[in-house]
């Protein structure tokens, strides 16, 4: 899959807004969407990102993660940190490091906290309430605005997400362009 949009990265890009009644989503992605966790635990998984990642827009992920762990503790959460695979040696002082796969981390998580990591998409798909701090996050529309987990309807978000990802054959045969050119009309 390749993400294609104009004039920005992740949630800051302009993507096609095609109303196909969810057909593309059902065809390619619906099997990944799990129900929201009914009784999420108070375990918050802070997702790491690679320092200097363009999606961070100059934010120090180290400082953000430290500050976020403090805020989560004040909100009654037990925090763990899952480092980005591209920066596996990253730690957050005073926060237990979670060394496991992303699906294993999401199974344990009652709440996922991210600055602007695409692991937020995996969390929302897995039914884990998610907090994304940056409005440029791909899960901004379905994430909490504070540390109170929310479980909004994901139908419209899902349908929009389906038009952000393209298969190589869809790029080659022009289907992706047919959808993308609607953004620049």
């Amino acid at each position: 899959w390749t993400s294609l949009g104009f004039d920005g990265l992740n949630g800051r890009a302009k993507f096609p807004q095609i109303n196909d009644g969810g057909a593309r989503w059902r065809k390619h992605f619906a099997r990944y969407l799990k129900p929201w966790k009914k009784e999420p635990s108070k375990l918050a998984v802070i997702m790491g990102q690679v320092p200097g990642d363009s999606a961070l827009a100059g934010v120090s992920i180290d400082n953000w993660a430290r500050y976020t762990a403090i805020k989560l503790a004040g909100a009654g959460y037990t925090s763990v940190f899952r480092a980005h695979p591209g920066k596996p040696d990253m730690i957050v002082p005073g926060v237990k490091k979670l060394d496991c796969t992303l699906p294993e981390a999401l199974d344990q998580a009652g709440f996922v906290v991210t600055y602007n990591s695409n692991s937020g998409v995996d969390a929302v798909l897995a039914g884990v309430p998610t907090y994304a701090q940056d409005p440029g996050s791909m899960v901004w529309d379905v994430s909490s605005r504070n540390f109170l987990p929310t479980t909004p309807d994901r139908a419209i978000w899902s349908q929009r997400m389906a038009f952000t990802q393209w298969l190589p054959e869809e790029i080659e045969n022009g289907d992706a362009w047919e959808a993308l050119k609607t953004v620049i009309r």
Side-chain angles (χ1 to χ4, degrees):
W1 293 99
T2 300
S3 179
L4 298 174
F6 287 109
D7 298 329
L9 178 64
N10 292 337
R12 289 186 172 84
K14 295 174 189 158
F15 295 107
Q17 300 290 315
I18 297 171
N19 185 357
D20 68 348
R24 181 175 174 78
W25 172 260
R26 286 189 300 278
K27 178 179 177 181
H28 295 295
F29 307 107
R31 68 184 174 277
Y32 300 113
L33 187 65
K34 306 298 181 220
W36 287 115
K37 287 188 175 185
K38 295 253 187 250
E39 295 182 28
S41 71
K42 292 298 273 185
L43 181 69
V45 177
I46 301 170
M47 295 293 183
Q49 287 182 249
V50 175
D53 180 334
S54 296
L56 292 171
V59 169
S60 165
I61 192 67
D62 297 298
N63 291 338
W64 175 84
R66 277 193 294 279
Y67 179 69
T68 298
I70 293 167
K71 289 185 359 186
L72 284 164
Y77 289 94
T78 299
S79 296
V80 293
F81 177 74
R82 182 176 184 277
H84 187 283
K87 184 69 172 165
D89 58 339
M90 186 176 169
I91 61 166
V92 178
V95 178
K96 179 184 173 191
K97 187 173 180 183
L98 192 60
D99 285 316
C100 62
T101 67
L102 182 57
E104 290 168 342
L106 296 176
D107 282 345
Q108 296 176 49
F111 194 44
V112 164
V113 181
T114 175
Y115 183 77
N116 183 352
S117 171
N118 283 328
S119 61
V121 173
D122 294 295
V124 168
L125 290 173
V128 182
T130 303
Y131 168 86
Q133 184 165 340
D134 181 39
S137 169
M138 293 298 285
V139 296
W140 180 256
D141 292 341
V142 290
S143 71
S144 299
R145 295 293 176 261
N146 51 40
F147 292 141
L148 297 173
T150 59
T151 56
D153 186 329
R154 297 168 287 177
I156 292 171
W157 173 81
S158 298
Q159 291 177 31
R160 288 183 183 156
M161 287 295 290
F163 287 95
T164 68
Q165 303 293 317
W166 299 92
L167 291 166
E169 55 268 25
E170 294 175 312
I171 296 168
E172 292 170 9
N173 71 18
D175 289 348
W177 175 243
E178 287 302 313
L180 283 161
K181 71 183 183 183
T182 64
V183 174
I184 57 174
R185 286 187 177 159

